[in-house]
Amino acid sequence: MAARAATVIDHISFGVCNIAQCIDYLEGELGAVPCEIGPAGSFNWAQWAFAAQARIELIEPVGSAGFLQRFLAARGPGVHHVTWKVPSLADAAARATALGYEVIGYDDRQPSWKECFLHPKQALGVVIQMAEAHPELGVAPAEPMPFPCRVEPRPEPAHVHSLVMNAPEPGAVLRLFEQLLHGTLEREPDGLMFRWPDSPHRILVQLDAARAAGVKEVRLQSSRKLGLPPADLLGTPIVQVATNTGG
């Protein structure tokens, strides 16, 4: 019998005003490799691969109305959601309900991609997407899109070290990342690090009762010095850390 798939982080997604304006930085500065792109109604999305196949996604608004338009109007660009792939969406949603979360946007109509969400008010200030994916079913986007442009040549891809978040107390953190999403906890000097063995992505939560829960920064590692993006490009700070920081 084949081993059951594990829960893993699939990608970190930034809401931005314009995907094309970010490509020079992602590819030319960070060395990210374009992977997939497509339309999704009120927004477009595009994903890039970094070292170890970690993925970062950008989503941009289409039209004047939608969740992303509201997000950008209220907060500006920044990390919007993190997506976990789960072995069974039904099981993950039931586990979330049993832990006291309100599951929203449950949609299992498309066999190749079933999804649901947790609202950021319940999930430490970020949208949590849980998805059951079956790429073997081979469902392609109805309207394939080309990347607006590509940067060639690209430098060696940076390593996505961690998404750093803040939380006022540890109870909600352990409930979300350990009990619901099955992360492995490692206590580090600057916070609680959660890892998923089959995923290159990590979540570092720093505990500070004086600050609201939410995303603080995305940490990258590279053997070369990385330039920082303009503050209004990706919103969430991008920080380079030493290659021996946090493992």
Side-chain angles (χ1 to χ4, degrees):
M1 180 180 294
R4 188 175 179 83
T7 296
V8 297
I9 297 181
D10 185 66
H11 63 268
I12 299 167
S13 183
F14 287 73
V16 299
C17 296
N18 186 290
I19 289 175
Q21 293 177 355
C22 303
I23 292 178
D24 281 348
Y25 178 72
L26 289 178
E27 298 186 20
E29 184 63 40
L30 303 185
V33 179
C35 296
E36 300 179 69
I37 189 169
S42 65
F43 67 99
N44 295 327
W45 61 271
Q47 292 186 357
W48 284 262
F50 288 73
Q53 294 304 303
R55 287 202 180 196
I56 283 181
E57 176 182 80
L58 302 185
I59 54 177
E60 67 177 7
V62 174
S64 59
F67 74 89
L68 183 54
Q69 291 82 342
R70 294 190 296 272
F71 172 84
L72 292 170
R75 304 187 184 189
V79 170
H80 175 268
H81 68 268
V82 184
T83 297
W84 274 261
K85 285 184 177 177
V86 297
S88 165
L89 185 68
D91 289 350
R95 188 165 64 249
T97 300
L99 287 168
Y101 294 103
E102 179 184 357
V103 175
I104 59 177
Y106 190 98
D107 187 350
D108 61 359
R109 293 171 297 176
Q110 184 173 320
S112 62
W113 183 267
K114 306 174 185 180
E115 64 182 14
C116 68
F117 302 86
L118 301 183
H119 193 280
K121 289 182 179 179
Q122 290 196 313
L124 302 178
V126 68
V127 175
I128 299 295
Q129 180 184 38
M130 296 184 289
E132 178 185 342
H134 295 281
E136 71 277 6
L137 298 179
V139 178
E143 301 175 45
M145 295 173 58
F147 273 79
C149 59
R150 292 177 183 234
V151 176
E152 297 286 357
R154 286 181 298 273
E156 180 181 0
H159 172 65
V160 180
H161 175 271
S162 54
L163 173 67
V164 183
M165 301 181 64
N166 183 73
E169 53 86 21
V173 177
L174 297 174
R175 182 170 65 122
L176 179 62
F177 294 124
E178 190 174 51
Q179 296 179 52
L180 175 60
L181 296 170
H182 294 165
T184 300
L185 170 63
E186 297 179 8
R187 297 181 184 273
E188 300 197 348
D190 60 342
L192 307 177
M193 181 72 82
F194 294 89
R195 303 173 187 252
W196 287 261
D198 296 325
S199 172
H201 303 84
R202 294 176 285 187
I203 304 286
L204 174 63
V205 184
Q206 299 176 336
L207 300 176
D208 184 350
R211 296 187 56 174
V215 172
K216 294 179 67 175
E217 63 192 30
V218 173
R219 294 182 177 178
L220 303 180
Q221 292 178 329
S222 178
S223 58
R224 55 190 172 81
K225 183 173 177 57
L226 301 174
L228 301 180
D232 60 349
L233 190 67
L234 297 175
T236 299
I238 303 295
V239 177
Q240 183 173 3
V241 295
T243 55
N244 62 350
T245 300

